[in-house]
Amino acid sequence: MLSALRRKLAGVAVAGMLAIGFGVANASPASADLNQCFDGYYCQWEHSNYTGDFGQARYDTWYFGPMTDSASSLWNNRAEWATLYLNTSYTGECLWVKPRGWHYAIPWPMYDRFDSYRVGRHWTKGQFGESVPCSYTIGEGTFVKT
Ligand SMILES: [Ca+2]
């Protein structure tokens, strides 16, 4: 499936769009898809199959704003791990997404729950400095308990 996704992305011109922080675009479900997700960004969609409202972030994002408790599909379109948190400010339960990892329908108990995001490595559960692993990991279409 990933190769299919990459094919779908190939040749898409990124024309003068800027995403600052967690940019959110409202889109009709019919027009929302993976082509929205820039290389080097973490991306999430309101509904499964990469549809509905869309948001992407290049840097740590403490609060997802209008996309809080909303993500049902995601794509970590970057070379580093992403860590998603169920609470704002990188706290509470979390989930890891491997570099270039994706899921078209985030399973229970993690769908519609992400509030914040950190980039760069396996960040841990809870407040800064704690070393409790996140409970789940998303790979290329996979969802496993850590
Ligand atoms: Ca949703």
Side-chain angles (χ1 to χ4, degrees):
M1 182 171 182
L2 185 61
S3 60
L5 302 184
R6 288 205 168 129
R7 271 199 304 278
K8 191 173 183 185
L9 285 167
V12 173
V14 176
M17 296 178 62
L18 279 178
I20 298 171
F22 200 71
V24 174
N26 293 312
S28 67
S31 68
D33 66 13
L34 289 160
N35 297 331
Q36 295 174 289
C37 185
F38 296 168
D39 183 48
Y41 283 73
Y42 162 76
C43 301
Q44 65 181 28
W45 290 261
E46 175 189 12
H47 303 309
S48 59
N49 296 312
Y50 320 107
T51 59
D53 285 353
F54 164 77
Q56 64 182 350
R58 184 163 199 145
Y59 305 108
D60 291 359
T61 303
W62 70 275
Y63 170 56
F64 279 168
M67 284 209 71
T68 295
D69 295 335
S70 167
S72 291
S73 52
L74 64 78
W75 185 18
N76 182 31
N77 189 17
R78 58 187 307 153
E80 299 87 23
W81 284 82
T83 304
L84 282 301
Y85 289 89
L86 300 199
N87 296 332
T88 58
S89 302
Y90 327 117
T91 59
E93 180 59 273
C94 52
L95 171 148
W96 287 320
V97 186
K98 70 174 287 187
R100 311 295 177 183
W102 49 266
H103 207 293
Y104 66 90
I106 302 164
W108 181 90
M110 301 306 266
Y111 67 83
D112 285 351
R113 295 188 69 189
F114 301 142
D115 289 359
S116 58
Y117 150 82
R118 295 199 83 189
V119 67
R121 64 176 175 87
H122 288 84
W123 294 97
T124 52
K125 191 185 299 185
Q127 305 292 337
F128 291 121
E130 294 185 5
S131 58
V132 181
C134 297
S135 292
Y136 296 92
T137 300
I138 281 179
E140 293 174 3
T142 60
F143 180 83
V144 297
K145 206 152 180 17
T146 303

